[in-house]
Amino acid sequence: MIATKFSMLQHVCFVPFARATRHRSFTVSASASASTTASPSRNLTASASRAPHVDPRVLLGMSEHDLQQLAVEFGQQSYRGKQLHHLIYKRKAKEIQDFSHLPQAFRNDLIEAGWKLGRSPIYHSVTAADGTVKLLIKLEDNRLIETVGIPVEDEKGSMRLTACVSSQVGCPLRCSFCATGKGGYSRNLQRHEIIEQVLAIEDIFKHRVTNVVFMGMGEPMLNLKSVLDAHRCLNKDIQIGQRMITISTVGVPNTIKRLASQKLQSTLAVSLHAPNQQLREMIVPSAKSYPLDAIMKDCRDYFAETNRRVSFEYALLAGVNDSVEQARELADLLHEWGRGYHVNLIPFNPIEGSEYRRPYRKAVSAFAGALESRKITVSIRQTRGLDASAACGQLRNNFQKSPLVTESDHEKSEPDVAVAC
């Protein structure tokens, strides 16, 4: 669900009632809409703390209760809020004027008071031979974010549709093998910009999203408030089970503890990529501020707190971290820090300009076998969408290193649109 940053409030309330309710309607959603950044360490780039201009008047992301309260504040019966909820999350309307079941006067009042739905246009899409679809969504500030839809049909013909969603525009952590980091970092996504990515995938496939993975552009733990707000909406309003949602992180100090305190049933996936601190620092520069022993301790505590096993993502880079000896070292590390772990091996997805290479299948199988022989549960991720630039950040980098500029932007010369990422 890659989405556009919708609605920065620039409308003026013209009708008297809209003016009277302006402050009250802000309080309905501002707390849930505000996007804050968990600053992991002084060593992490200061740009990671950039938050978007928070728009409190976006309907997407609001709960049924909040929508009922909003309707009442506009002089409507509370059941109009239930209708709003149905139109947003079931009918998947894209504009307030599409709310044909609501009185025209109510729709006009919402628009005049500066409310927007929070859906963004698709700027570009690519479909791979295996059915994987990658979307570029154009945000209101002309930045692009990626989301990927991955369909998998089981033996019975039922389809599992996974949406891989982004949490930031770019990423400040700059992992050496990742295309997103090479494309620069701009800001966090607001909650509706995360949620709309899932709806966009559903629109394309004409099918319900069954699984959501926070493995797209950005570091989810640097935008944990918006990620948790989006998680609530995906679970409660769009009705995707918590166990069908995975939150991935390369590791940000103190945030795994914060996530554990939420006691979610979702999966935590930690991008490890190395069996020791020295190699991890080479692959993941931010690892210097979060030593391997510290992250493993937090993972052990997370399991104790939630009783949910931690999944470790391990990108296999040919000749760097894919030897059998390194697999044994990884197994020893996991056994040292407890139980309940699973390793998901990811053969490197080649990107332009990278010094890394994809390992041969024989090397991948040998690495997996070495882990299994030491009683570590392991899976090998099937590579999808190679012909759709499916590696995180690839497609966006093909189109944008700085915000798109339109003719009207040239005329306005607004700094937040023209400044490069």
Side-chain angles (χ1 to χ4, degrees), residues 230-287:
H231 182 285
R232 184 214 61 78
C233 179
L234 293 172
N235 177 230
K236 299 295 185 181
D237 302 306
I238 300 180
Q239 297 188 328
I240 298 172
Q242 286 196 20
R243 293 197 174 206
M244 300 296 106
I245 301 175
T246 297
I247 298 175
S248 177
T249 180
V250 76
V252 176
N254 302 317
T255 55
I256 292 178
K257 295 177 183 178
R258 288 178 57 197
L259 186 63
S261 71
Q262 302 294 315
K263 290 184 167 53
L264 303 178
Q265 287 299 297
S266 298
T267 298
L268 170 64
V270 176
S271 297
L272 207 58
H273 307 317
N276 59 68
Q277 178 67 14
Q278 183 179 3
L279 181 57
R280 192 163 193 268
E281 286 184 16
M282 185 186 83
I283 299 172
V284 182
S286 63

Side-chain angles (χ1 to χ4, degrees), residues 96-107:
I96 290 177
Q97 286 296 5
D98 294 338
F99 294 167
S100 56
H101 292 74
L102 298 181
Q104 184 66 55
F106 183 23
R107 284 180 269 166

Side-chain angles (χ1 to χ4, degrees), residues 49-288:
S49 63
R50 291 182 214 155
H53 296 291
V54 175
D55 188 347
R57 289 179 174 80
V58 177
L59 298 174
L60 184 61
M62 293 179 69
S63 67
E64 183 174 306
H65 173 77
D66 284 347
L67 289 168
Q68 286 179 299
Q69 185 179 343
L70 179 67
V72 170
E73 289 180 344
F74 273 84
Q76 303 290 322
Q77 296 294 315
S78 63
Y79 76 87
R80 294 295 186 193
K82 288 188 175 183
Q83 288 181 314
L84 276 172
H85 190 270
H86 179 81
L87 289 164
I88 294 168
Y89 299 112
K90 303 298 182 186
R91 296 287 296 274
K92 299 179 178 63
K94 295 182 180 179
E95 300 285 350
I96 290 177
Q97 286 296 5
D98 294 338
F99 294 167
S100 56
H101 292 74
L102 298 181
Q104 184 66 55
F106 183 23
R107 284 180 269 166
N108 291 342
D109 285 348
L110 285 170
I111 293 170
E112 290 173 354
W115 284 89
K116 295 183 181 179
L117 183 51
R119 295 291 303 273
S120 307
I122 294 173
Y123 179 76
H124 186 75
S125 67
V126 178
T127 302
D130 61 16
T132 298
V133 176
K134 172 166 277 193
L135 304 178
L136 285 181
I137 297 175
K138 182 184 174 187
L139 306 183
E140 191 182 53
D141 60 1
N142 290 322
R143 288 178 166 88
L144 300 176
I145 56 171
E146 294 180 351
T147 191
V148 182
I150 307 169
V152 177
E153 193 171 298
D154 63 21
E155 297 174 352
K156 298 180 180 179
S158 298
M159 186 170 79
R160 182 177 77 247
L161 180 58
T162 299
C164 179
V165 302
S166 297
S167 55
Q168 296 179 307
V169 183
C171 183
L173 297 187
R174 299 184 179 277
C175 295
S176 61
F177 59 86
C178 180
T180 297
K182 294 179 183 299
Y185 168 77
S186 298
R187 63 171 176 83
N188 285 334
L189 294 181
Q190 297 182 54
R191 72 171 177 188
H192 70 277
E193 295 173 324
I194 299 173
I195 297 163
E196 68 169 333
Q197 296 176 59
V198 172
L199 299 184
I201 293 297
E202 292 189 338
D203 288 344
I204 292 293
F205 283 89
K206 309 300 181 189
H207 192 282
R208 272 185 53 80
V209 164
T210 58
N211 299 69
V212 175
V213 294
F214 283 83
M215 295 182 181
M217 294 167 55
E219 166 53 63
M221 295 297 198
L222 287 176
N223 191 19
L224 190 53
K225 175 66 167 63
S226 289
V227 166
L228 290 175
D229 286 345
H231 182 285
R232 184 214 61 78
C233 179
L234 293 172
N235 177 230
K236 299 295 185 181
D237 302 306
I238 300 180
Q239 297 188 328
I240 298 172
Q242 286 196 20
R243 293 197 174 206
M244 300 296 106
I245 301 175
T246 297
I247 298 175
S248 177
T249 180
V250 76
V252 176
N254 302 317
T255 55
I256 292 178
K257 295 177 183 178
R258 288 178 57 197
L259 186 63
S261 71
Q262 302 294 315
K263 290 184 167 53
L264 303 178
Q265 287 299 297
S266 298
T267 298
L268 170 64
V270 176
S271 297
L272 207 58
H273 307 317
N276 59 68
Q277 178 67 14
Q278 183 179 3
L279 181 57
R280 192 163 193 268
E281 286 184 16
M282 185 186 83
I283 299 172
V284 182
S286 63
K288 295 176 183 177

Side-chain angles (χ1 to χ4, degrees), residues 397-412:
N397 289 355
N398 291 342
F399 281 84
Q400 180 183 67
K401 288 294 182 72
S402 58
L404 301 172
V405 179
T406 64
E407 291 183 9
S408 60
D409 293 326
H410 280 301
E411 293 170 5
K412 296 176 184 178

